[in-house]
Amino acid sequence: MTADNLFLRIARGELPADIVYRDELVTAFRDIDPQAPVHVLIVPNHHVASIAEAGPDDEPVLGRLFLAARSVAEQEGLAEGGYRLIVNCGAHGGQEVEHLHLHLLGGEPLGPMRCRRKEH
Ligand code: AMP
């Protein structure tokens, strides 16, 4: 399996993940290597390689990613304390998995910028 289709397969229910939200457009699941007490990824249910590849037809799913992130944040108890949403794009953006994903991070003060806690 390539990294490219990993998140698509999770969204389709073909691979296991700790899913916290799902609707007809997007799926949210816990990051396997959390960088904060709450670290959830929200992904489209159809293939969009990155935000750089998104087109006008993807506008509904792009909006849904943010609304789903808000719902998950409320579900996870982050609404009061606040949280951070991140989209990495391409090599310089640090995108590792070539399926568009929104990171939801929270559960503690995140500081001005977030770095990985450990090297892979
Ligand atoms: P990015 O660097 O923005 O592409 O983020 C990719 C994220 O996917 C990283 O935070 C990884 O820890 C996470 N990740 C990779 N494989 C899995 C998986 N099978 N289940 C959940 N999260 C994953």
Side-chain angles (χ1 to χ4, degrees):
M1 180 201 340
T2 66
D4 300 15
N5 61 23
L6 176 63
F7 288 175
L8 188 59
R9 293 188 65 189
I10 289 174
R12 288 175 175 165
E14 296 170 3
L15 286 176
D18 187 355
I19 294 187
V20 296
Y21 176 93
R22 193 202 297 272
D23 64 28
E24 79 281 12
L25 292 180
V26 303
T27 299
F29 52 93
R30 294 192 196 283
D31 195 291
I32 205 168
D33 181 21
Q35 302 297 307
V38 175
H39 187 172
V40 170
L41 302 172
I42 305 103
V43 309
N45 291 344
H46 71 278
H47 186 60
V48 182
S50 76
I51 191 64
E53 302 293 325
D57 289 350
D58 296 311
E59 197 168 327
V61 79
L62 296 180
R64 187 67 63 83
L65 287 172
F66 278 88
L67 291 176
R70 188 190 71 179
S71 294
V72 174
E74 290 170 358
Q75 191 177 297
E76 296 288 324
L78 303 181
E80 190 178 347
Y83 47 90
R84 182 170 295 160
L85 301 174
I86 298 173
V87 177
N88 295 324
C89 180
H92 286 190
Q95 184 178 1
E96 295 172 349
V97 177
E98 290 185 29
H99 184 88
L100 177 62
H101 48 284
L102 186 57
H103 293 258
L104 166 64
L105 296 152
E108 67 182 11
L110 297 171
M113 187 58 75
R114 199 73 190 170
C115 295
R116 287 208 171 276
R117 286 176 165 159
K118 57 178 185 269
E119 293 299 319
H120 290 279

